[in-house]
Amino acid sequence: MVTIQHALRLASEQLRAVSATARLDAELLLGHTLGWSRAKVVAERDYLLTPEQQATFAALVARRVAREPVAYLIGHREFFGLDLLVDQRVLIPRPETEVLVELALVEARRYGNAPITIADIGVGSGAIAIALAIHLPHAIIYGVDLSAGALEVAAANVARYRYRLHDRITLLEGDLLEPLPGPVDLIVSNPPYTILNEIEEGVYRYEPHLALDGGADGLDCYRRLIAAAPAYLKSDGAILLEIGAWQATAVVHLLHQALPQADVGIQRDLAGRDRVVWARNPDVIR
């Protein structure tokens, strides 16, 4: 028989070559195997695993050694205080995207208690849309995605939090802004912005290329989205876009071209990297 402590030590050694968070990965995978929280796994270090539990855990560790993301292996990911279902139909929510949510909340709260409409373009798992809806009780949110599979995951996550959302999120299938029923107050998006041949092997192998591929220079989606934005953004509205750390200058230029009267700015993340570019029409409600 093998104890939790021993199993974690062996798994961490195996995972160290492929993960900077080998011990954390092992704890999460073992917690998933046992149906326990990570805290309980850490506390019950002398618990003896059954042969079946050992086999299940070993299989998960082997898949992680092959660089399959932990979030896909355990089927969920934490984001902005939410526990979200994820699988290979959607991009795994990243902590840096919380910067986009925080800025969107600040922007939306300029409207006070007045109703506000928000479009989350490339809704994926629903992470951004759900976080905004929970923190903005007066907001109506449209979540748009080109992928029917991604919308199925988003719908499952919306259903998990329906008691807090009160049917204020509408999911729409289609390309960028086209499915929207009309102009909105706020457009938010974490669009595909990577250059595929430059990304980490595990991301390339397992995460959906539709949600990653930004074209030869990572800007394909920004060009199309920003060019279309004036027709779908109210005169006092704003647009917030997550970016790769190298893309701020190019995206700011695109926004100045499409919205020449708007105030445009850049927000960095906690690591000091450019993370969100925003544009706000000058007569926004204060």
Side-chain angles (χ1 to χ4, degrees):
M1 301 289 280
V2 174
T3 65
I4 281 179
Q5 182 179 20
H6 182 65
L8 289 175
R9 184 171 65 249
L10 292 178
S12 298
E13 290 172 0
Q14 289 179 268
L15 293 170
R16 202 162 287 124
V18 299
S19 174
T21 56
R23 179 73 180 198
L24 172 62
D25 292 0
E27 291 169 355
L28 291 171
L29 294 177
L30 187 51
H32 180 68
T33 298
L34 299 173
W36 293 0
S37 68
R38 179 185 167 216
K40 185 173 181 180
V41 168
V42 173
E44 299 287 344
R45 52 188 289 175
D46 295 323
Y47 176 87
L48 294 174
L49 301 177
T50 67
E52 293 79 11
Q53 290 167 340
Q54 292 178 54
T56 300
F57 181 51
L60 289 172
V61 171
R63 290 170 64 184
R64 181 65 185 125
V65 169
R67 300 184 185 274
E68 187 168 351
V70 171
Y72 290 157
L73 294 172
I74 66 177
H76 61 97
R77 178 65 171 255
E78 190 274 337
F79 178 83
F80 216 79
L82 305 169
D83 185 58
L84 299 168
L85 303 172
V86 294
D87 61 30
Q88 291 189 27
R89 293 173 290 178
V90 296
L91 196 70
I92 298 167
R94 267 65 170 182
E96 55 266 29
T97 300
E98 295 188 359
V99 176
L100 177 63
V101 174
E102 289 165 354
L103 284 180
L105 290 174
V106 171
E107 190 63 42
R109 285 169 180 156
R110 294 175 183 272
Y111 291 80
N113 293 327
I116 180 174
T117 53
I118 301 173
D120 176 11
I121 307 303
V123 69
S125 66
I128 296 170
I130 295 170
L132 292 177
I134 286 175
H135 288 86
L136 298 169
H138 301 287
I140 299 297
I141 299 177
Y142 299 102
V144 182
D145 209 292
L146 192 59
S147 166
L151 290 171
E152 290 173 0
V153 178
N157 281 317
V158 168
R160 297 184 83 197
Y161 291 95
R162 187 170 298 283
Y163 71 101
R164 297 174 66 181
L165 301 177
H166 305 293
D167 298 320
R168 290 184 293 109
I169 296 178
T170 300
L171 299 175
L172 302 169
E173 183 176 352
D175 186 37
L176 299 180
L177 300 165
E178 292 177 2
L180 296 179
V184 297
D185 297 292
L186 185 60
I187 295 171
V188 298
S189 183
N190 177 17
Y193 60 72
T194 59
I195 300 170
L196 282 183
N197 62 8
E198 296 181 358
I199 61 176
E200 178 190 341
E201 180 185 348
V203 175
Y204 182 89
R205 187 184 299 176
Y206 294 103
E207 298 198 53
H209 288 191
L210 182 63
L212 290 166
D213 187 6
D217 61 359
L219 295 169
D220 284 1
C221 192
Y222 294 103
R223 291 188 183 95
R224 297 176 55 235
L225 177 58
I226 291 171
Y232 290 92
L233 194 62
K234 292 182 181 180
S235 61
D236 59 352
I239 179 170
L240 292 86
L241 304 170
E242 182 169 333
I243 60 167
W246 66 96
Q247 294 170 316
T249 299
V251 175
V252 165
H253 177 69
L254 291 170
L255 286 168
H256 277 309
Q257 286 184 313
L259 299 165
Q261 303 303 315
D263 298 322
V264 179
I266 302 166
Q267 178 66 44
R268 293 182 174 178
D269 60 23
L270 293 177
R273 301 183 183 93
D274 293 339
R275 183 55 57 192
V276 176
V277 173
W278 53 266
R280 181 190 306 123
N281 283 324
D283 53 341
V284 69
I285 297 171
R286 298 293 179 178

